Amino acid sequence: ALDRMVLLKAGENHTCGMVNGGQYPYWSSALTPNTIRPDAILPDLWAATWQIASVREPGTYHICYCAYIIGSASCVESSTTNYQGFMHELGTVRVSGAILAVRRVGVTPGAWKPPLPAAPFAVSVEVDAQTTFLRYSCVATTRAAPEDFIPMKSDLENCTLDIELLSDRQKFFPRCWGTGTTVEAVIEQGPNVVHVPVHIPEVTLETAEYLHVWCYPRNECSNGRCVMPSNNIGLTMPITGGLISTTNNWASVVSTSFSLRLPVASDYDVDASWARAKIITFNSACDSTQLHPSVIGLTCLESGVGKCEPAPVAT
């Protein structure tokens, strides 16, 4: 059988038969019918059945059909899909999922936030949540997974464990340098920021250029197939220089206000709406320790990664 079917992501002016400009999912090729049998109801006609094994991204899709006619152009030529031949729409299918997309902070249309670059100590992303009252987690590493490897929830949940504790499949996923979770359950659909503290070894940081980030809902996803982006690369974020130093020393006097000045690398273009400081007990971990109770003038959410206020007076 030479008939074919493709999925087209629903959107403004998206119609079956349109030239591919990124509207057709990169992970979905033209599908061949699994079976073609005589129709059980209409005599002298045949019925084709397609089995869609997996749709990687939630959303609404048009189902576009190409009927091969002898003497006409093929639906697929030399492994290249002739999308203009898929002019017949069979209907639509809505695919559910907790996460619609994972993006860099500051690129979501209609939901303006200033850009937030990645640094050697942290990376933050926007999780476009479709399901509310869940907490969302993300992981970060400095390399992609093997080609054609589609991460599952268990891969991300275990990516910081000792490799000897992992299953054969989980060993293919790169080791993570950090994990992060929304401070509270998400109560609104749309973009929600997830902050991921990372601890990258110096020897790895010398050659690493990008962080690769994947996210998943913590309390949902019984089949494990809920990781976004659903590919082996994840969301890639260039690693900037971040803070010029993380071993600064200041001196102050008890019960007296003082200022902190933190020089940053030239490529770390962080906006004042994101830059924050927190004062904690000496020798404690910044990403797991809350604000010291004796500090006046700063307020933070009750979490190691909770955002503090106020913003810096100047940048």
Side-chain angles (χ1 to χ4, degrees):
L2 297 178
D3 293 1
R4 296 288 190 274
M5 182 194 78
V6 296
L7 297 177
L8 168 66
K9 195 71 177 285
E12 186 176 359
N13 299 322
H14 289 193
T15 57
C16 290
M18 67 188 303
V19 176
N20 186 23
Q23 301 89 344
Y24 298 89
Y26 70 91
W27 39 260
S28 177
S29 58
L31 302 175
T32 303
N34 288 69
T35 61
I36 300 179
R37 297 191 177 99
D39 193 284
I41 299 176
L42 301 175
D44 302 322
L45 293 180
W46 295 75
T49 301
W50 274 268
Q51 180 70 38
I52 303 175
S54 175
V55 178
R56 294 192 193 176
E57 299 175 3
T60 301
Y61 296 85
H62 301 281
I63 303 175
C64 305
Y65 173 73
C66 174
Y68 174 69
I69 301 175
I70 297 175
S72 65
S74 298
C75 301
V76 178
E77 298 179 356
S78 302
S79 300
T80 301
T81 302
N82 175 26
Y83 288 103
Q84 291 170 283
F86 290 79
M87 300 181 62
H88 306 285
E89 179 170 338
L90 303 181
T92 60
V93 58
R94 179 173 174 79
V95 180
S96 61
I99 301 176
L100 289 176
V102 177
R103 307 184 184 96
R104 297 184 183 185
V105 175
V107 301
T108 302
W112 183 87
K113 288 186 178 72
L116 182 53
F121 47 83
V123 59
S124 297
V125 298
E126 282 184 354
V127 173
D128 194 351
Q130 182 168 272
T131 305
T132 55
F133 303 104
L134 295 177
R135 297 179 72 193
Y136 290 86
S137 294
C138 300
V139 305
T141 183
T142 46
R143 63 185 179 90
E147 187 175 0
D148 296 328
F149 184 93
I150 307 302
M152 298 183 68
K153 183 179 179 181
S154 61
D155 300 320
L156 275 61
E157 289 178 320
N158 296 290
C159 66
T160 59
L161 297 180
D162 187 285
I163 194 168
E164 298 299 326
L165 301 175
L166 303 179
S167 68
D168 290 340
R169 173 196 160 81
Q170 291 165 0
K171 291 177 181 178
F172 284 107
F173 192 74
R175 299 303 85 211
C176 297
W177 303 126
T179 65
T181 302
T182 50
V183 176
E184 299 173 338
V186 167
I187 59 174
E188 292 185 0
Q189 291 181 329
N192 290 266
V193 175
V194 179
H195 181 68
V196 183
V198 294
H199 304 275
I200 307 174
E202 288 294 334
V203 65
T204 302
L205 197 56
E206 289 176 359
T207 57
E209 296 182 358
Y210 294 92
L211 284 168
H212 301 260
V213 181
W214 293 266
C215 302
Y216 65 97
R218 289 187 62 86
N219 310 112
E220 194 174 87
C221 184
S222 58
N223 65 0
R225 301 182 183 276
C226 53
V227 174
M228 290 289 286
S230 55
N231 58 40
N232 68 304
I233 299 173
L235 175 68
T236 57
M237 297 277 289
I239 302 175
T240 69
L243 300 175
I244 290 179
S245 174
T246 57
T247 57
N248 300 287
N249 287 286
W250 292 274
S252 182
V253 178
V254 67
S255 301
T256 304
S257 63
F258 61 97
S259 300
L260 301 177
R261 183 178 182 274
L262 294 173
V264 299
S266 59
D267 61 349
Y268 187 53
D269 187 20
V270 63
D271 189 87
S273 60
W274 293 117
R276 294 293 187 274
K278 178 175 62 174
I279 299 176
I280 62 175
T281 305
F282 183 65
N283 279 341
S284 298
C286 282
D287 58 5
S288 59
T289 308
Q290 296 185 25
L291 179 72
H292 195 282
S294 69
V295 175
I296 299 174
L298 295 177
T299 57
C300 304
L301 294 177
E302 293 184 1
S303 165
V305 295
K307 192 176 182 181
C308 299
E309 300 293 349
V313 295
T315 57

